[in-house]
Structures are given as C-alpha cells and as structure tokens.
Coordinates of all heavy atoms in Angstrom, one line a residue:
Y149 N 24.9 -47.1 -14.8 CA 25.5 -47.9 -16.0 C 26.8 -48.5 -15.6 O 27.1 -49.6 -16.1 CB 25.6 -47.0 -17.2 CG 24.3 -46.9 -18.0 CD1 23.3 -46.2 -17.5 CD2 24.2 -47.5 -19.2 CE1 22.1 -46.1 -18.2 CE2 23.0 -47.4 -19.9 CZ 21.9 -46.7 -19.4 OH 20.8 -46.6 -20.1
G150 N 27.6 -47.9 -14.8 CA 28.8 -48.5 -14.3 C 28.6 -49.8 -13.5 O 29.2 -50.8 -13.8
A151 N 27.6 -49.7 -12.6 CA 27.2 -50.9 -11.8 C 26.6 -51.9 -12.7 O 26.9 -53.1 -12.5 CB 26.3 -50.5 -10.7
G152 N 25.8 -51.5 -13.7 CA 25.1 -52.5 -14.6 C 26.2 -53.2 -15.4 O 26.1 -54.4 -15.6
Q153 N 27.2 -52.5 -15.9 CA 28.2 -53.1 -16.7 C 29.0 -54.1 -15.9 O 29.4 -55.2 -16.4 CB 29.1 -52.0 -17.4 CG 30.2 -52.6 -18.2 CD 29.7 -53.3 -19.5 OE1 28.7 -53.0 -20.0 NE2 30.5 -54.2 -20.0
L154 N 29.4 -53.7 -14.7 CA 30.2 -54.6 -13.8 C 29.4 -55.9 -13.5 O 29.9 -57.0 -13.6 CB 30.5 -53.9 -12.5 CG 31.6 -52.8 -12.7 CD1 31.8 -52.1 -11.3 CD2 32.9 -53.4 -13.2
V155 N 28.1 -55.8 -13.2 CA 27.3 -56.9 -12.9 C 27.1 -57.8 -14.1 O 27.2 -59.0 -14.0 CB 25.9 -56.5 -12.3 CG1 25.0 -57.7 -12.2 CG2 26.1 -55.8 -11.0
E156 N 26.9 -57.2 -15.3 CA 26.7 -58.0 -16.5 C 28.0 -58.7 -16.9 O 28.0 -59.9 -17.2 CB 26.3 -57.0 -17.6 CG 26.0 -57.7 -18.9 CD 27.2 -57.9 -19.8 OE1 28.1 -57.1 -19.7 OE2 27.2 -58.8 -20.7
S157 N 29.1 -58.0 -16.8 CA 30.4 -58.6 -17.3 C 30.9 -59.7 -16.4 O 31.5 -60.7 -16.8 CB 31.5 -57.5 -17.4 OG 31.1 -56.5 -18.4
F158 N 30.8 -59.5 -15.0 CA 31.5 -60.4 -14.1 C 30.5 -61.3 -13.4 O 30.9 -62.2 -12.6 CB 32.2 -59.6 -13.0 CG 33.4 -58.8 -13.6 CD1 33.2 -57.4 -13.8 CD2 34.6 -59.4 -13.9 CE1 34.3 -56.7 -14.4 CE2 35.6 -58.7 -14.4 CZ 35.5 -57.3 -14.7
Y159 N 29.2 -61.2 -13.6 CA 28.3 -62.1 -13.0 C 27.2 -62.7 -13.9 O 27.2 -63.9 -14.1 CB 27.6 -61.5 -11.8 CG 26.6 -62.4 -11.1 CD1 27.2 -63.4 -10.2 CD2 25.3 -62.4 -11.3 CE1 26.3 -64.3 -9.6 CE2 24.4 -63.3 -10.7 CZ 25.0 -64.2 -9.8 OH 24.2 -65.1 -9.2
L160 N 26.4 -61.7 -14.6 CA 25.3 -62.2 -15.4 C 25.7 -63.1 -16.6 O 25.3 -64.2 -16.7 CB 24.5 -61.0 -15.8 CG 23.6 -60.3 -14.7 CD1 22.9 -59.1 -15.3 CD2 22.7 -61.3 -14.1
T161 N 26.6 -62.5 -17.4 CA 27.0 -63.2 -18.6 C 27.8 -64.4 -18.3 O 27.6 -65.5 -18.8 CB 27.7 -62.3 -19.6 OG1 26.9 -61.3 -20.1 CG2 28.3 -63.1 -20.8
P162 N 28.8 -64.3 -17.4 CA 29.6 -65.5 -17.1 C 28.7 -66.6 -16.4 O 28.9 -67.8 -16.7 CB 30.6 -65.0 -16.1 CG 30.8 -63.6 -16.4 CD 29.5 -63.1 -16.8
R163 N 27.7 -66.2 -15.6 CA 27.0 -67.2 -14.8 C 25.8 -67.7 -15.7 O 25.5 -68.9 -15.7 CB 26.4 -66.6 -13.5 CG 27.5 -66.1 -12.6 CD 28.4 -67.3 -12.1 NE 29.4 -66.9 -11.2 CZ 30.4 -67.7 -10.8 NH1 30.5 -68.9 -11.2 NH2 31.3 -67.2 -9.9
L164 N 25.0 -66.8 -16.2 CA 23.8 -67.2 -16.9 C 24.1 -67.7 -18.4 O 23.3 -68.5 -18.9 CB 22.8 -66.0 -17.0 CG 22.3 -65.5 -15.6 CD1 21.3 -64.4 -15.8 CD2 21.7 -66.7 -14.8
V165 N 25.2 -67.2 -19.0 CA 25.5 -67.7 -20.3 C 26.7 -68.6 -20.3 O 26.6 -69.7 -20.8 CB 25.8 -66.5 -21.2 CG1 26.2 -67.0 -22.6 CG2 24.6 -65.6 -21.3
G166 N 27.8 -68.2 -19.7 CA 29.0 -69.0 -19.7 C 28.8 -70.3 -19.0 O 29.3 -71.3 -19.5
E167 N 28.2 -70.4 -17.8 CA 28.0 -71.6 -17.1 C 27.0 -72.6 -17.9 O 27.2 -73.8 -17.9 CB 27.5 -71.4 -15.7 CG 28.5 -70.9 -14.8 CD 28.1 -70.8 -13.3 OE1 26.9 -71.1 -13.1 OE2 28.9 -70.5 -12.5
R168 N 26.0 -72.0 -18.6 CA 25.1 -72.8 -19.3 C 25.8 -73.5 -20.5 O 25.4 -74.6 -20.8 CB 23.9 -71.9 -19.9 CG 22.9 -71.5 -18.8 CD 21.9 -70.5 -19.4 NE 20.9 -70.2 -18.4 CZ 19.7 -70.8 -18.4 NH1 19.3 -71.6 -19.3 NH2 18.8 -70.5 -17.5
I169 N 26.7 -72.9 -21.1 CA 27.4 -73.5 -22.2 C 28.8 -74.1 -21.8 O 29.5 -74.6 -22.6 CB 27.7 -72.5 -23.4 CG1 28.5 -71.4 -23.0 CG2 26.3 -72.1 -23.9 CD1 28.8 -70.4 -24.1
G170 N 29.1 -74.0 -20.5 CA 30.3 -74.6 -19.9 C 31.6 -73.8 -20.2 O 32.7 -74.4 -20.1
L171 N 31.5 -72.5 -20.4 CA 32.6 -71.7 -20.6 C 33.0 -70.9 -19.3 O 32.1 -70.4 -18.6 CB 32.4 -70.6 -21.7 CG 32.4 -71.1 -23.2 CD1 32.0 -70.0 -24.1 CD2 33.7 -71.7 -23.5
H172 N 34.3 -70.9 -19.0 CA 34.8 -70.2 -17.9 C 34.6 -68.7 -18.1 O 34.6 -68.2 -19.3 CB 36.3 -70.5 -17.7 CG 36.8 -70.0 -16.4 ND1 37.3 -68.7 -16.2 CD2 36.9 -70.6 -15.2 CE1 37.7 -68.5 -15.0 NE2 37.5 -69.6 -14.3

C-alpha cells in the first residue's frame, strides 16, 4: 500500500488525470 500510494500520488493521478486536464 505504501508503494501503491506513492505511485498513485506522484505518477498515476498527476499523469493520467492532471496532464489530461492540463494541471501540474
């Protein structure tokens, strides 16, 4: 869960969600 939270917070959400809507 620690690895999953890190990947989600610093890669998945910023890249797959943030980049799609243009948010840093």
Side-chain angles (χ1 to χ4, degrees):
Y149 275 71
Q153 178 66 26
L154 289 175
V155 172
E156 184 271 336
S157 298
F158 294 101
Y159 182 78
L160 288 179
T161 295
R163 299 298 180 187
L164 298 180
V165 179
E167 285 188 355
R168 284 172 177 260
I169 62 179
L171 285 176
H172 191 274

